[in-house]
Amino acid sequence: MAPHSSSNLQVAPSQSNLSGTVAVEQAIFTSARTSSKDGYQLVAWSPGISSDDARQLAVWGPAHDSMIVDDPTDVSLNFHPLGDHKFCVSRTVLGAAEYSGRGGRQVYTHCFVLDAASFKRFNNDPFRVLSAALSIHDLRPGATLPTDLPTMKMLPSGGPVDAGLIRFFDSPVQQQSLVAWTHYAMTSKKLLFTGGYNDRFLSVFFNLLPVSIRPHFTFSTRLRYSQRRDFRLVGLANDVQEQKKAARQEGFHVFHFDSPARTPEASRHPWATWLQVALCHREPDEAARMISEVPLTTRLEDLSAVGNRLRVAMSGKKRNKEAATAPAASTPLVVPEENTDRAELFELVERALDGDVTALERLNATWCAQPDQQLQALRQECARHFLSLAKEKNCEPGSKGATAVEILSLILRVSP
């Protein structure tokens, strides 16, 4: 294997001249004997790594015996914040034998550091940063360690959501695991995952999140559990002792990829249910478009309402499509005309407020099916009825009723 020097890690001139590139700082954390220190340390970094960045990277960096599997071909991927306005995406492998003679191999971590604006150019997706880095360099450690590194110039590509990655997950088993995983990722303070997972699963999970939500899901794979590394998602492979050690921490849930827990729809997080609908409808381009259009102002606490809204919208479109091709076999819509019995629409509003998703879907499909000018009067009447009922119920924030109020307000275009 050819040794890596700082010149090996510099960007090729043809890449650095491309327009639209993003400056990405880099650093290497590993075990070495240097002029200033022996042991684990940052041995090389680019000019944009500040002293505070370096201090934090040393805290997050994995040291001796941190890899779960003693295999030079194994790779650990990690993503975490660096201070309040930066992010670090890193790749850890085993390198040469420890210089100190204590046995084992050095744990070698290559870090890529971006500020928030630069990370957004990659749609807040750590896997796109890693992909861009790997397209430029072979990130394996060489026979000698570099002493300095240049600032990299990476070229982001693609839209917020890659429909191709959705197509890749087309088997029912994969889809069931992804839906269950998403539910636990959304509802757990911290989630340990074990068994036969692979990195592509994580990359699909990020791909199916709204862009503004992605930075919340820090993760680590194939590293031993450590309390000083505060990851939200922690992959522990099949190491039983590591699983037991980590599971003793308060607030952790465990997800076994080899036997994923069932998630009944009634108690499932709405974003996971929306993903199930999106995957089952097998319209990856449409699902990608809908997720891509979720506003960048969307917060993690908004995700239940957004998931319900997207689910209702996709189900309504599917229902309308089926009605157009096979009207006799489709679920009947409430067709609002001049003599429509308003009682049926009011009943749908009441059922929707009580958490009946089929009523939400039917209302949404009904409004979508007709031109606005025919609906305006009925919509206003339904909106007044809805506002009256919502005021009476006074649902607690975060409850199922509160979520229904948010969705109905979108369907009926009113603010409660």
Side-chain angles (χ1 to χ4, degrees), residues 33 66-67 78 98 124 150 216 304:
R33 174 170 289 158
S66 290
M67 293 284 284
N78 305 281
E98 279 277 10
N124 290 342
H216 291 280
S304 292

mmCIF file with all atom_site columns, all heavy atoms in Angstrom, residues 33 66-67 78 98 124 150 216 304:
data_model
loop_
_atom_site.group_PDB
_atom_site.id
_atom_site.type_symbol
_atom_site.label_atom_id
_atom_site.label_alt_id
_atom_site.label_comp_id
_atom_site.label_asym_id
_atom_site.label_entity_id
_atom_site.label_seq_id
_atom_site.pdbx_PDB_ins_code
_atom_site.Cartn_x
_atom_site.Cartn_y
_atom_site.Cartn_z
_atom_site.occupancy
_atom_site.B_iso_or_equiv
_atom_site.pdbx_formal_charge
_atom_site.auth_seq_id
_atom_site.auth_comp_id
_atom_site.auth_asym_id
_atom_site.auth_atom_id
_atom_site.pdbx_PDB_model_num
ATOM 1  N N   . ARG A 1 33  ? 3.786   8.694  18.130 1.00 0.00 ? 33  ARG A N   1
ATOM 2  C CA  . ARG A 1 33  ? 4.812   9.384  18.931 1.00 0.00 ? 33  ARG A CA  1
ATOM 3  C C   . ARG A 1 33  ? 5.262   10.592 18.115 1.00 0.00 ? 33  ARG A C   1
ATOM 4  O O   . ARG A 1 33  ? 5.844   10.450 17.040 1.00 0.00 ? 33  ARG A O   1
ATOM 5  C CB  . ARG A 1 33  ? 5.980   8.448  19.215 1.00 0.00 ? 33  ARG A CB  1
ATOM 6  C CG  . ARG A 1 33  ? 7.149   9.131  19.927 1.00 0.00 ? 33  ARG A CG  1
ATOM 7  C CD  . ARG A 1 33  ? 8.156   8.081  20.384 1.00 0.00 ? 33  ARG A CD  1
ATOM 8  N NE  . ARG A 1 33  ? 7.618   7.306  21.488 1.00 0.00 ? 33  ARG A NE  1
ATOM 9  C CZ  . ARG A 1 33  ? 8.068   6.083  21.790 1.00 0.00 ? 33  ARG A CZ  1
ATOM 10 N NH1 . ARG A 1 33  ? 8.999   5.499  21.058 1.00 0.00 ? 33  ARG A NH1 1
ATOM 11 N NH2 . ARG A 1 33  ? 7.553   5.443  22.826 1.00 0.00 ? 33  ARG A NH2 1
ATOM 12 N N   . SER A 1 66  ? -10.970 0.711  20.544 1.00 0.00 ? 66  SER A N   1
ATOM 13 C CA  . SER A 1 66  ? -12.334 1.235  20.408 1.00 0.00 ? 66  SER A CA  1
ATOM 14 C C   . SER A 1 66  ? -13.155 0.514  19.349 1.00 0.00 ? 66  SER A C   1
ATOM 15 O O   . SER A 1 66  ? -14.383 0.559  19.386 1.00 0.00 ? 66  SER A O   1
ATOM 16 C CB  . SER A 1 66  ? -12.302 2.729  20.062 1.00 0.00 ? 66  SER A CB  1
ATOM 17 O OG  . SER A 1 66  ? -11.865 3.486  21.159 1.00 0.00 ? 66  SER A OG  1
ATOM 18 N N   . MET A 1 67  ? -12.474 -0.108 18.389 1.00 0.00 ? 67  MET A N   1
ATOM 19 C CA  . MET A 1 67  ? -13.223 -0.829 17.357 1.00 0.00 ? 67  MET A CA  1
ATOM 20 C C   . MET A 1 67  ? -13.738 -2.140 17.934 1.00 0.00 ? 67  MET A C   1
ATOM 21 O O   . MET A 1 67  ? -12.999 -2.879 18.604 1.00 0.00 ? 67  MET A O   1
ATOM 22 C CB  . MET A 1 67  ? -12.333 -1.112 16.141 1.00 0.00 ? 67  MET A CB  1
ATOM 23 C CG  . MET A 1 67  ? -11.904 0.126  15.376 1.00 0.00 ? 67  MET A CG  1
ATOM 24 S SD  . MET A 1 67  ? -13.204 0.821  14.333 1.00 0.00 ? 67  MET A SD  1
ATOM 25 C CE  . MET A 1 67  ? -13.216 -0.321 12.959 1.00 0.00 ? 67  MET A CE  1
ATOM 26 N N   . ASN A 1 78  ? -19.052 7.801  11.553 1.00 0.00 ? 78  ASN A N   1
ATOM 27 C CA  . ASN A 1 78  ? -19.535 8.583  12.702 1.00 0.00 ? 78  ASN A CA  1
ATOM 28 C C   . ASN A 1 78  ? -19.924 9.985  12.254 1.00 0.00 ? 78  ASN A C   1
ATOM 29 O O   . ASN A 1 78  ? -19.326 10.548 11.335 1.00 0.00 ? 78  ASN A O   1
ATOM 30 C CB  . ASN A 1 78  ? -18.437 8.685  13.772 1.00 0.00 ? 78  ASN A CB  1
ATOM 31 C CG  . ASN A 1 78  ? -17.939 7.316  14.193 1.00 0.00 ? 78  ASN A CG  1
ATOM 32 O OD1 . ASN A 1 78  ? -18.582 6.635  14.977 1.00 0.00 ? 78  ASN A OD1 1
ATOM 33 N ND2 . ASN A 1 78  ? -16.811 6.893  13.646 1.00 0.00 ? 78  ASN A ND2 1
ATOM 34 N N   . GLU A 1 98  ? 0.356   -0.981 16.995 1.00 0.00 ? 98  GLU A N   1
ATOM 35 C CA  . GLU A 1 98  ? 0.631   0.124  17.933 1.00 0.00 ? 98  GLU A CA  1
ATOM 36 C C   . GLU A 1 98  ? 2.149   0.331  18.085 1.00 0.00 ? 98  GLU A C   1
ATOM 37 O O   . GLU A 1 98  ? 2.879   -0.619 18.334 1.00 0.00 ? 98  GLU A O   1
ATOM 38 C CB  . GLU A 1 98  ? 0.014   -0.183 19.295 1.00 0.00 ? 98  GLU A CB  1
ATOM 39 C CG  . GLU A 1 98  ? -1.479  0.116  19.377 1.00 0.00 ? 98  GLU A CG  1
ATOM 40 C CD  . GLU A 1 98  ? -1.734  1.584  19.667 1.00 0.00 ? 98  GLU A CD  1
ATOM 41 O OE1 . GLU A 1 98  ? -0.789  2.384  19.613 1.00 0.00 ? 98  GLU A OE1 1
ATOM 42 O OE2 . GLU A 1 98  ? -2.900  1.920  19.936 1.00 0.00 ? 98  GLU A OE2 1
ATOM 43 N N   . ASN A 1 124 ? -27.361 18.479 4.294  1.00 0.00 ? 124 ASN A N   1
ATOM 44 C CA  . ASN A 1 124 ? -27.236 17.997 5.684  1.00 0.00 ? 124 ASN A CA  1
ATOM 45 C C   . ASN A 1 124 ? -27.128 16.475 5.754  1.00 0.00 ? 124 ASN A C   1
ATOM 46 O O   . ASN A 1 124 ? -27.576 15.861 6.731  1.00 0.00 ? 124 ASN A O   1
ATOM 47 C CB  . ASN A 1 124 ? -28.421 18.472 6.534  1.00 0.00 ? 124 ASN A CB  1
ATOM 48 C CG  . ASN A 1 124 ? -28.397 19.967 6.786  1.00 0.00 ? 124 ASN A CG  1
ATOM 49 O OD1 . ASN A 1 124 ? -27.365 20.614 6.627  1.00 0.00 ? 124 ASN A OD1 1
ATOM 50 N ND2 . ASN A 1 124 ? -29.518 20.522 7.198  1.00 0.00 ? 124 ASN A ND2 1
ATOM 51 N N   . PRO A 1 150 ? -4.277  19.796 3.729  1.00 0.00 ? 150 PRO A N   1
ATOM 52 C CA  . PRO A 1 150 ? -4.885  20.984 3.110  1.00 0.00 ? 150 PRO A CA  1
ATOM 53 C C   . PRO A 1 150 ? -6.387  21.023 3.350  1.00 0.00 ? 150 PRO A C   1
ATOM 54 O O   . PRO A 1 150 ? -7.008  20.007 3.662  1.00 0.00 ? 150 PRO A O   1
ATOM 55 C CB  . PRO A 1 150 ? -4.595  20.761 1.625  1.00 0.00 ? 150 PRO A CB  1
ATOM 56 C CG  . PRO A 1 150 ? -4.651  19.276 1.483  1.00 0.00 ? 150 PRO A CG  1
ATOM 57 C CD  . PRO A 1 150 ? -4.089  18.700 2.766  1.00 0.00 ? 150 PRO A CD  1
ATOM 58 N N   . HIS A 1 216 ? -30.111 16.272 13.590 1.00 0.00 ? 216 HIS A N   1
ATOM 59 C CA  . HIS A 1 216 ? -30.470 15.782 14.929 1.00 0.00 ? 216 HIS A CA  1
ATOM 60 C C   . HIS A 1 216 ? -30.009 14.348 15.159 1.00 0.00 ? 216 HIS A C   1
ATOM 61 O O   . HIS A 1 216 ? -29.893 13.915 16.302 1.00 0.00 ? 216 HIS A O   1
ATOM 62 C CB  . HIS A 1 216 ? -31.991 15.839 15.127 1.00 0.00 ? 216 HIS A CB  1
ATOM 63 C CG  . HIS A 1 216 ? -32.530 17.236 15.220 1.00 0.00 ? 216 HIS A CG  1
ATOM 64 N ND1 . HIS A 1 216 ? -32.472 17.977 16.376 1.00 0.00 ? 216 HIS A ND1 1
ATOM 65 C CD2 . HIS A 1 216 ? -33.122 18.020 14.292 1.00 0.00 ? 216 HIS A CD2 1
ATOM 66 C CE1 . HIS A 1 216 ? -33.025 19.158 16.160 1.00 0.00 ? 216 HIS A CE1 1
ATOM 67 N NE2 . HIS A 1 216 ? -33.426 19.222 14.911 1.00 0.00 ? 216 HIS A NE2 1
ATOM 68 N N   . SER A 1 304 ? -44.337 14.818 13.347 1.00 0.00 ? 304 SER A N   1
ATOM 69 C CA  . SER A 1 304 ? -45.570 14.021 13.398 1.00 0.00 ? 304 SER A CA  1
ATOM 70 C C   . SER A 1 304 ? -46.625 14.612 12.470 1.00 0.00 ? 304 SER A C   1
ATOM 71 O O   . SER A 1 304 ? -47.240 13.906 11.657 1.00 0.00 ? 304 SER A O   1
ATOM 72 C CB  . SER A 1 304 ? -46.105 13.975 14.830 1.00 0.00 ? 304 SER A CB  1
ATOM 73 O OG  . SER A 1 304 ? -45.247 13.233 15.657 1.00 0.00 ? 304 SER A OG  1
#
